[in-house]
Amino acid sequence: MFRDPASLERRNHGLRLAFAVALGLVFEILRGALVPPLAAVIALQLLALPGPRPTAKMVLGLFVVVSGASLFAYGVSALTADRVFPYALGVGLIYLWGFALALQRKTAAVGTMTLTMGIVVTTLAAVSTDLAAVLVVQLSLSVAFGIALVFLAHAVFPQRAPSPGAAAAEVGAPVGVTSRAMVATLIILPLHLVLAADGLAAMVVLLTVATMLRQVQIEQAARYATSFAAGNLLGGLLAAAAVRVVSLHATIPVLTTVVVAATLLVAWWIERVPMFAHVLLPGFVAFTVLFGLAFMPASPSADVELLKRLAQIVAAGLYALGAVSLVMPFARGPRALADGSVM
């Protein structure tokens, strides 16, 4: 059925995503990880990047980045918790560097990890700086497992052809990396400051919006508003349904079966419509984070209001898409303003 290399690679790519997320969620939930979805989110975002699997050199670099980004994020949170301007400045620098690195193919993995760790640590620090300190200490295990999932997924479902989206990510970007990083930071920073008091809820929303701003070329983002909302709605509703089924039959076989079925379904959506894969990926992130946080040891599943969080994700995504159309003319420069072109 999958005779041509492109079709085979699309299938294997989807299976890699489903395999890593399913194994990551089940293992981390069963071992009682502090943040159960963290390893799966790390693996998902790294596997979604174009190009071959990470090398040993990249793995070492990722560990250094994770340590540095985590410590910096914790320092920003601990030292500026009661001062808005220094806090905004520190968090803004995390986002600016993260997006600047994530939007370049050679440093995409490093930027992705910087954004992920910055969001996770700062949002947990909003709940408790002591909790964030514990997370920084325990983070290495989830990060190591997340990176191991990437290698394992490539070993089980090898990459036989270039990633279908690799070439598309390189072309058609009239806005430079610096401008795109600044636009993304200006869009997500106010959202972070508004949601910071919500702690765990902010993690769900910010990881999803950051994924959207990395995946979609910012100047084209408004065109994908409907697909983005639909992808997140499907991912969130699937997470709510999956949590409900597992809560009714709280056994390991049920947990495993539900997670595998759900991840295969979301991965199928992404690979079935390749042109919208970069828009549906945030929906996969939303599913992973929402489902994983429902089993977080520090917060019983009843406290994680999935539908409320889903509404926040969709609202935040629409805010981001609306902000893009307002900011992009300035990012493109005076000529775009004179022409009156937004997109």
Side-chain angles (χ1 to χ4, degrees):
M1 181 177 179
F2 297 95
R3 295 181 178 179
D4 62 289
S7 297
L8 180 61
E9 174 52 27
R10 280 199 300 271
R11 185 199 66 172
N12 281 1
H13 183 244
L15 291 173
R16 285 195 295 270
L17 296 179
F19 174 83
V21 173
L23 183 57
L25 282 174
V26 172
F27 181 82
E28 293 288 270
I29 289 171
L30 293 179
R31 82 173 182 89
L34 185 61
V35 184
L38 183 57
V41 167
I42 289 172
L44 173 59
Q45 299 204 62
L46 291 179
L47 285 169
L49 295 173
R53 68 178 182 179
T55 62
K57 182 179 179 181
M58 183 182 293
V59 169
L60 179 61
L62 288 176
F63 272 111
V64 173
V65 169
V66 166
S67 302
S70 301
L71 290 173
F72 182 75
Y74 176 73
V76 168
S77 300
L79 297 176
T80 65
D82 299 324
R83 291 175 287 179
V84 176
F85 181 74
Y87 179 80
L89 182 61
V91 172
L93 286 175
I94 294 173
Y95 280 123
L96 186 61
W97 277 103
F99 281 118
L101 294 170
L103 293 172
Q104 301 179 75
R105 185 176 178 183
K106 291 183 178 180
T107 57
V110 173
T112 298
M113 297 296 289
T114 300
L115 290 170
T116 302
M117 296 303 102
I119 290 171
V120 170
V121 174
T122 54
T123 51
L124 283 175
V127 178
S128 167
T129 53
D130 293 334
L131 179 62
V134 172
L135 174 66
V136 170
V137 174
Q138 294 187 355
L139 204 59
S140 57
L141 184 57
S142 289
V143 172
F145 183 49
I147 295 175
L149 285 172
V150 175
F151 283 91
L152 187 57
H154 273 283
V156 177
F157 304 104
Q159 182 172 342
R160 304 181 186 278
S163 175
E170 297 287 332
V171 297
V175 179
V177 169
T178 302
S179 295
R180 289 184 65 189
M182 292 178 66
V183 168
T185 301
L186 288 173
I187 289 171
I188 202 171
L189 182 58
L191 199 61
H192 185 111
L193 297 177
V194 170
L195 295 176
D198 287 342
L200 296 178
M203 184 193 303
V204 180
V205 176
L206 294 172
L207 281 173
T208 308
V209 173
T211 303
M212 182 203 76
L213 293 174
R214 286 192 303 102
Q215 293 295 319
V216 180
Q217 291 193 10
I218 291 180
E219 61 275 12
Q220 299 176 350
R223 301 179 187 177
Y224 300 108
T226 303
S227 298
F228 171 81
N232 280 279
L233 182 62
L234 290 171
L237 290 176
L238 186 62
V243 169
R244 179 62 177 168
V245 172
V246 175
S247 66
L248 292 175
H249 307 279
T251 63
I252 294 177
V254 170
L255 171 67
T256 304
T257 302
V258 169
V259 171
V260 169
T263 53
L264 282 172
L265 182 59
V266 181
W268 179 81
W269 282 334
I270 290 176
E271 300 308 321
R272 183 71 174 178
V273 191
M275 65 180 296
F276 289 120
H278 55 304
V279 181
L280 294 171
L281 182 63
F284 207 171
V285 173
F287 164 80
T288 304
V289 179
L290 284 168
F291 184 88
L293 288 182
F295 299 91
M296 186 173 181
S299 176
S301 59
D303 293 339
V304 182
E305 303 172 31
L306 292 178
L307 295 180
K308 179 181 177 181
R309 301 297 176 247
L310 175 59
Q312 288 179 324
I313 290 171
V314 174
L318 294 177
Y319 150 78
L321 291 165
V324 165
S325 37
L326 293 176
V327 176
M328 278 310 303
F330 298 95
R332 284 184 166 184
R335 183 175 180 180
L337 289 171
D339 294 341
S341 59
V342 177
M343 288 290 156

